[in-house]
Amino acid sequence: MIGDKILEVNVLNPGGITNINKLNKVKLHQQVVDFIEEKVSEKVEKRLELEYLLKRLSQLRE
């Protein structure tokens, strides 16, 4: 990550998630991506809420 930007998610690293998937017959890589998408969505929602509150505060000051 750089700042609030995700540049890369390596879910196919040698010996990591790929082997976990094979050994446990799961799709851990999908769980990782789903988790990241959820966190990004939460952050977007919080940012939108903050923008709304700042806009509302500005309107009240007028």
Side-chain angles (χ1 to χ4, degrees):
M1 292 188 70
I2 295 180
D4 62 351
K5 305 293 183 210
I6 296 174
L7 300 178
E8 177 182 357
V9 177
N10 185 353
V11 297
L12 297 175
N13 61 345
I17 290 177
T18 303
N19 287 336
I20 292 170
N21 287 344
K22 287 179 187 176
L23 290 171
N24 295 307
K25 296 184 175 140
V26 296
K27 293 182 179 178
L28 186 58
H29 60 285
Q30 187 60 51
Q31 293 173 18
V32 170
V33 171
D34 288 346
F35 175 81
I36 292 169
E37 287 178 343
E38 179 183 328
K39 293 302 171 188
V40 169
S41 178
E42 288 173 4
K43 188 169 186 172
V44 168
E45 288 175 11
K46 287 179 183 179
R47 174 176 259 157
L48 290 173
E49 182 181 357
L50 179 59
E51 288 174 358
Y52 169 78
L53 291 171
L54 289 172
K55 183 178 178 181
R56 185 72 179 119
L57 179 61
S58 176
Q59 290 171 343
L60 291 171
R61 287 183 175 171
E62 294 175 356

